[in-house]
Amino acid sequence: MILTSIHALPEIVRYVLVGLGASLTYFLCSLLLDRIGLPVFLSSSMAWSISTLASYFGHIKITFQRKPQHLEMSWRFLSVALGSLVLSVLITVFVHDYLNQPYYLASLAVTITIPLYSYLSLKLWALKERVQSYDLISFLRRSILDYLIPIGVIGVFWALFYHELLFPWGCPEKKLASDYSLQFYPWLIHGLKSLSNWEIPWWTTLTGCGEPFLAKLENGVLFPGHILVGLISGTPKVPFYLAQAYQVFSLFLSGIGVFLLAKNFKLDSISSCLVGMMWSLSWDLKYNIVYSSFTDVILVFPFFILASYKYITGQSSWAGTWAILLLACSFLGGNPQWTQMHLIFLGVMFLFWYLPEISKYQGLQNKSKPAQRLVILVFVAVLISAIQLIPSWELAGQSHRGVKDFSVAAASSFSVKYLFNRILNDTPFSFAPLIFLLAFLAPFLKRDRLVYGLCFAVLLFGSLSLGDNFSIYKVFYDYVPGYGLFRFPGRCLHLALLSLYLLSGVSLHCLWNKTTRSPYDFVGLGFGLTILLIFHNIQPLDVYALRIAFYLVALILILFSTFHINLKRTLLVVFLAAGLFLPSYFPHSSNRWITYRGDIYPLTDQIKFLKQKLEPGQRISSPGILAGYPPGVTKHMTKNKEVFLGNLIHGLNIWGTGGNLHLASLDLLALKTRNPRVYDLMNIRFIPKARKIKKVDKDGKYLPHFFGQGSFWQIDLQGLAPLDGAVSIGFSNRRPGSEVSVARAGMRSIHFLNSNNLLLNNLPKGRCLEIECLTGGFSIESIKINEFEIINKGTRWSIAYDRILENRYSFPKCFLAGNYKVIAGTEETLKALEGLEPSCTAILDKTPSFAGKPKITSSEYVKLKKYSPHEVAVEVSALTDSILIITDSYYKGWKASVDGEPAELLKADFHFRGVGLSKGWHEVKLTYSPWWKIWLPIFSFLGLFLSILVGCTERPRTVFDGKGTVSSQGR
């Protein structure tokens, strides 16, 4: 009677009653179990399990009154319950910790959001009845034969292929080198450290002179796989082996995705298994394994294409949710150009799935549905990943990579011959010629739009891999938005390879099942053989030629035995097995794997020393990073090719980790300015070295200097010589008619050079000596102040510790410059910087306003009070109006305040931050607060909500079956 009355209530009321009943069940069970004496964790867990079970049956029987289908409904209900738990934690942290709102507002947001999320999820997905029911035994049998065994085969070959990276015992330990150990692994650690502290790493001080960390997409800070690695390790200090295993495991998961994609294209299990195996063992994928951004995108790619296929063709609206989330992960995980290429691949397949039959669909709404779905998919995915894409777009405008330069294409463009060699040698198995011939057979064995789309993809992405050797690349470069940033055309090859493998799988499937043959089959075979002979340049007695002949005969036999299905299948198994168990190479060899024993980041004593000695904000540099500087700076680096690793991992500021700077101004500053004092301006205090240091060359603070007409040089005399003595300058390489200007403390003296020596006795006392070449040219070999030599005085380098050099003239993080010059234009500023003494004169991009009220002070000092990625606080006392220089990157989004009032932030010395200060004592604060800091997380949460909404829409669903007919099916 009571149950009947409850059933008569509105559904939302029944939902509330069941929820209250589940909460009461949890309360009573937890009290009872606590009374029994169980531990708190155990009693709480058991009470939650019992209440969840009560909620499950209550919502089925009472709220939604559905027929139980426990095999499907149970795991979906559990997914919703766990999703509610995760979502409540995220909302609480976002509102309370990130938005700094009171805790009761966070609880209110959870109270409103979670019941609504649970109600919609249970009603529209978790507890929704399905028309078809599952027989458990047949389901398990089909799963084992069609899925588990093929995936197991892929896993076995993958493990054998990458055993040197996966199983270090029993053989020399191999570790990933190149970009992975230098960049991606340190970035992973830093990102996980920030997230573990519930901080979004918008900015980092650990690379360059400070850079927007989240904006560099290759960091993959928010990629779910990286976060999962951190959760598995239980600490942000992820062991290198675990990070490397994740990197390699991504290729196995991608192979599974390709296997499922082939199955969805109606290929049998054997053909699909072979396609997935060739993909996961691809030479091209393995070559790029040192790029975390590549493997992240490759992991997502096949699952994204599969979910997109199901969503766009109307097979499942929930596939749209998965496609959106996977595309967002692809954006968050790595280089956006790879994701762009995958979207182009999806666009190609979309054209061949849908557009050829568009005229046969009835009604404008049905005709536009797939296109609408594609637009929704991309838009919502971009909205989710806006938290990283918008800062990245902002960074691209200040990056040297943001400038189109067609010459970069030539560096990695393939020749036609090399392209075919790469394709034919991409799979390690000796049946590579068979795969190639099978791919050319596909459009003749199966005349299908999907096959034609894959053929077009092979031609398109193969042509793009040729770069500027082929006109199609130039068309994409000029007319496809964003494609001009894709620096390496050869990286398109993996899409041509995937299409080729899928085509070979189609042919294998047809040969396995087909009982008829056509003359066109032999035409396709002859066409493939012709291409092989033309482009591979095969010699008559070449081993590869014999292999091609062997598989050509095999295919001819198979085609002639079409009507004898058992004989045909036997031949196929024999020839495929011969290729599998007699590989042409296995595994791949590469110098991109490097052999190490022990920890990849040793030198722990040196790390401890650096942590003790480095002042806040000071940096270290890896050997070889600053190549191109004057000999006095570089000779200690160019002789040592080993790179000191792991600085970023240990939280030490490093200039140019991996040398991959993205801020164009910092690139230009480092590469085009030849003043060692600029090196000091970057706060580079230490240079760790992999080898023991035997001696240090006697390079001083200032080196002999050549002057051309218009050259300018400032010298800081503080600590090197008296500030008021006579100045004696020795010259060499003097050109006729040379004229020099020498100034100190504002007084200038101009002289024509009639000899190699100049003596000045009348210059006033001053700290900064300025020398300028007005006409002609000369070299300065000596500068003396009262017989105190300045050139090569005060050894720059000293041995600070075992394998560590110290730069004695590195600037502090913050200092005052008493004078300034306003210089506009890149070339003019860089030229002026060549003679700059930063402690004397600051170069600004505009006239400063001196902030703060003038005050009387008796001393001058600069004290760094706080230094964190998003905030810098400085206490300053200035005797005169001055420019405060903070030697971190000037970047949009940084704001300054002086004594609590907003102040103008200046671009100083081409790349750094400056604040104009009136004389006296001041408190200066710099904060990183771009306009999007609050809005982007909100956009991402909105995108997540819309992705779920996509899965709840489209009732009844519309299915495009590829034949021009439209049907509606209940969900």
Side-chain angles (χ1 to χ4, degrees), residues 799-819:
I799 300 175
Y801 193 75
D802 177 31
R803 290 180 276 190
I804 294 179
L805 283 176
E806 180 177 6
N807 174 19
R808 297 176 58 222
Y809 299 112
S810 172
F811 276 97
K813 174 55 58 182
C814 307
F815 61 91
L816 290 173
N819 300 311

Side-chain angles (χ1 to χ4, degrees), residues 443-662:
F444 298 95
L445 290 173
K446 187 176 182 180
R447 297 175 182 84
D448 180 82
R449 289 208 315 269
L450 175 63
V451 172
Y452 298 148
L454 292 173
C455 291
F456 182 80
V458 171
L459 294 174
L460 174 64
F461 295 108
S463 301
L464 290 175
S465 299
L466 298 175
D468 55 355
N469 294 318
F470 202 70
S471 57
I472 189 68
Y473 175 84
K474 299 175 183 178
V475 173
F476 269 65
Y477 186 90
D478 289 329
Y479 298 109
V480 176
Y483 191 82
L485 300 176
F486 198 75
R487 295 164 47 119
F488 303 106
R491 292 182 181 174
C492 302
L493 179 62
H494 69 282
L495 293 171
L497 291 169
L498 175 63
S499 304
L500 200 71
Y501 292 150
L502 286 170
L503 285 172
S504 64
V506 169
S507 291
L508 187 62
H509 172 81
C510 292
L511 291 175
W512 187 267
N513 296 286
K514 194 175 180 183
T515 57
T516 60
R517 67 168 176 261
S518 166
Y520 293 109
D521 300 344
F522 295 96
V523 173
L525 189 60
F527 183 60
L529 178 62
T530 303
I531 297 295
L532 277 175
L533 295 176
I534 291 175
F535 291 105
H536 195 59
N537 193 25
I538 296 176
Q539 302 300 319
L541 298 179
D542 189 359
V543 173
Y544 209 91
L546 296 176
R547 198 179 301 159
I548 290 176
F550 173 76
Y551 283 113
L552 178 64
V553 172
L555 276 178
I556 293 173
L557 288 174
I558 290 170
L559 287 174
F560 272 110
S561 59
T562 301
F563 303 110
H564 306 282
I565 190 165
N566 292 328
L567 175 61
K568 177 184 65 175
R569 291 182 176 180
T570 302
L571 290 172
L572 273 174
V573 170
V574 169
F575 291 129
L576 290 176
L580 284 175
F581 296 106
L582 296 173
S584 53
Y585 56 90
F586 199 87
H588 297 300
S589 59
S590 174
N591 57 5
R592 294 160 80 84
W593 298 357
I594 189 166
T595 302
Y596 276 124
R597 288 194 177 277
D599 187 6
I600 196 169
Y601 298 123
L603 306 178
T604 53
D605 292 339
Q606 284 78 2
I607 294 294
K608 291 178 181 178
F609 170 81
L610 290 170
K611 282 192 171 183
Q612 293 171 357
K613 293 296 182 180
L614 273 178
E615 298 175 7
Q618 287 186 324
R619 298 183 174 91
I620 62 178
S621 176
S622 295
I625 292 296
L626 296 180
Y629 273 74
V633 177
T634 58
K635 62 175 60 176
H636 301 291
M637 294 174 278
T638 54
K639 294 178 182 178
N640 296 274
K641 296 181 180 179
E642 300 88 346
V643 177
F644 183 83
L645 303 175
N647 305 314
L648 181 59
I649 296 175
H650 298 286
L652 300 175
N653 297 315
I654 177 169
W655 187 89
T657 297
N660 247 3
L661 303 176
H662 288 246

Side-chain angles (χ1 to χ4, degrees), residues 88 91-93 95-97 100-110:
S88 63
I91 292 174
T92 303
V93 171
V95 175
H96 183 258
D97 294 345
N100 296 318
Q101 298 299 317
Y103 190 79
Y104 73 86
L105 286 180
S107 300
L108 181 63
V110 170

